[in-house]
Amino acid sequence: MASRKKKLQGLVAATITPMTEHGEINFSVIGQYVDYLVEEQGVKNIFVNGTTGEGLSLSVSERRQVAEEWMTKGRNKLDQVVIHVGALSLKESQELARHAAEIGADGIAVIAPFFLKPWDKVRAEELLDGIQEKIPTFQGLKFSDTDLLDFGQCVDQNRERQFAFLFGVDEQLLSALVMGATGAVGSTYNYLGKKTNQMLEAFERKDFSSALNHQFCIQRFINFVLKLGFGVSQTKAIMTLVSGIPMGPPRPPLQRASREFIDEAKARLESLDFLSSTYLKDRNLESCS
C-alpha cells in the first residue's frame, strides 16, 4: 500500500460497487452510501475497487469512474480513500495508479497479478524486507490471511518504520490487534462498522472482556453466513438489507444471493440486534447489545 497521507488507522470499509438490475454501475447512490458509512457506522476510511467492489469485473474505464465518484462524494466527509489498482496487466495497474494520483486519492493498494505469476511463494515478512528502498512511498500492507505468525513477524520486524498494518480477516480482528494491527480493511465494516468500532474502543481502553464479547458477537453472524455460503453476492444482499441502499446484483459470472440466504441472514441479524429499529419486529435474548 502506498500513501501520501498520515498512517491509515482504524476501520476501512471495502466498498461495494452498486449495480442496476441490468448490471450497470449505479453511481446515483454513492453519495447516500458515503453518508451511511460516516453517520450510521462511524467508518470514515474506504478501500475502493477491491474484491468486495468487484474491481476485477469492471473495465479500466469503469474503475476510473468509480474511483472518481467516491472521491467526489467523499470530499470533506471521508478521512482517507484508498484505491485498489491491482490487475492482471501491470500496464493497467500503472494506468490506474497514475489516475488515482491525479484525482487526489490518499493512497493506492495493489494485488499482484494472480493468473500468470512466479511459482515461488513469498511470505509477507520477506516481502517487506527492504521494500521502502524499492518503493519509497510504501506505507503498509493489508494482510488477509489467518497466519498470525507471519503477520506478527511483519509487525515485529518493522516496528521502527511506522507502517500501517491493516488486518483483512474481520472475524479474527481482535487477535490481530493484540499482535499489533493498526487497523482493518473488510467488507463487514460496511454494515457491522458500529459494532466493530465498539470493539476497537474497548480494546483501546484495555477493557478486554468487553472487546472479546464484541468479537464473539461479530463471529456469531459471520460464522452463520459462512455456513450458508458467503461471498460478494451475499455481501451486497446484506448491505441492501441493513442500510436500505440498493446495492443491486453482482456482475456475472457471480449469481445473486438466494431468497433463502436473504431470509436466513435477516433473521440472524435481527436476533443479534444488528438491524436498525426501523427494520425490527421482535428481539430475542441473544442480542449482543
Side-chain angles (χ1 to χ4, degrees):
M1 184 175 69
S3 173
R4 54 190 181 187
K5 219 174 181 185
K6 65 181 181 180
K7 182 167 71 174
L8 186 55
Q9 295 180 304
L11 296 186
V12 184
T15 57
I16 297 162
T17 300
M19 299 280 182
T20 68
E21 288 300 314
H22 302 292
E24 299 301 320
I25 298 169
N26 185 4
F27 293 103
S28 67
V29 301
I30 290 180
Q32 183 183 359
Y33 192 164
V34 169
D35 291 339
Y36 172 80
L37 288 176
V38 174
E39 297 169 10
E40 300 296 328
Q41 298 298 334
V43 175
K44 290 190 170 186
N45 304 302
I46 60 172
F47 186 97
V48 177
N49 285 338
T51 301
T52 304
E54 302 175 82
L56 292 172
S57 292
L58 307 180
S59 68
V60 169
S61 174
E62 287 177 319
R63 290 176 71 171
R64 291 165 59 107
Q65 288 178 278
V66 169
E68 290 168 8
E69 189 68 10
W70 279 104
M71 287 297 301
T72 298
K73 293 299 191 296
R75 189 168 291 119
N76 299 322
K77 294 180 178 181
L78 297 172
D79 287 341
Q80 295 205 42
V81 177
V82 176
I83 309 295
H84 173 249
V85 300
L88 293 179
S89 162
L90 292 178
K91 291 288 187 181
E92 289 183 358
S93 285
Q94 291 168 342
E95 176 186 340
L96 290 166
R98 283 191 293 267
H99 176 258
E102 289 167 2
I103 64 175
D106 300 296
I108 61 170
V110 185
I111 188 172
F114 53 86
F115 188 73
L116 298 176
K117 58 185 178 181
W119 286 104
D120 53 322
K121 183 178 179 180
V122 179
R123 289 171 63 84
E125 62 165 300
E126 300 169 321
L127 180 68
L128 293 182
D129 186 22
I131 196 167
Q132 281 191 314
E133 285 70 51
K134 300 174 183 177
I135 309 174
T137 57
F138 182 84
Q139 294 295 313
L141 81 162
K142 176 195 173 194
F143 191 96
S144 295
D145 196 279
T146 56
D147 185 349
L148 286 174
L149 172 60
D150 191 13
F151 180 72
Q153 288 302 291
C154 289
V155 176
D156 185 36
Q157 296 176 21
N158 296 278
R159 291 185 182 187
E160 297 180 1
R161 300 194 185 187
Q162 296 298 303
F163 288 158
F165 293 103
L166 306 174
F167 200 63
V169 185
D170 305 9
E171 61 271 27
Q172 296 183 4
L173 175 55
L174 184 57
S175 299
L177 292 175
V178 174
M179 299 295 290
T182 60
V185 180
S187 63
T188 67
Y189 309 138
N190 283 290
Y191 52 86
L192 298 183
K194 182 177 180 179
K195 173 60 70 175
T196 309
N197 271 323
Q198 290 171 350
M199 183 182 76
L200 294 182
E201 290 163 5
F203 181 82
E204 192 67 27
R205 64 177 184 266
K206 295 182 170 52
D207 183 356
F208 301 126
S209 177
S210 292
L212 187 60
N213 285 336
H214 288 307
Q215 181 72 94
F216 282 157
C217 182
I218 292 164
Q219 285 184 342
R220 287 176 207 151
F221 178 72
I222 295 177
N223 186 51
F224 180 79
V225 292
L226 283 174
K227 290 178 179 178
L228 296 178
F230 186 59
V232 171
S233 306
Q234 291 73 26
T235 296
K236 297 188 93 163
I238 292 171
M239 181 60 173
T240 299
L241 185 65
V242 177
S243 70
I245 305 169
M247 293 293 120
R251 277 265 172 97
L254 296 180
Q255 301 296 308
R256 68 174 68 226
S258 68
R259 184 72 252 173
E260 180 184 11
F261 173 88
I262 294 171
D263 290 343
E264 292 196 39
K266 180 176 184 289
R268 193 59 167 164
L269 286 163
E270 289 178 344
S271 77
L272 296 172
D273 204 7
F274 285 155
L275 282 178
S276 164
S277 58
T278 58
Y279 289 84
L280 284 172
K281 294 180 181 177
D282 300 302
R283 300 186 182 188
N284 66 27
L285 297 178
E286 199 181 357
S287 170
C288 292
S289 57

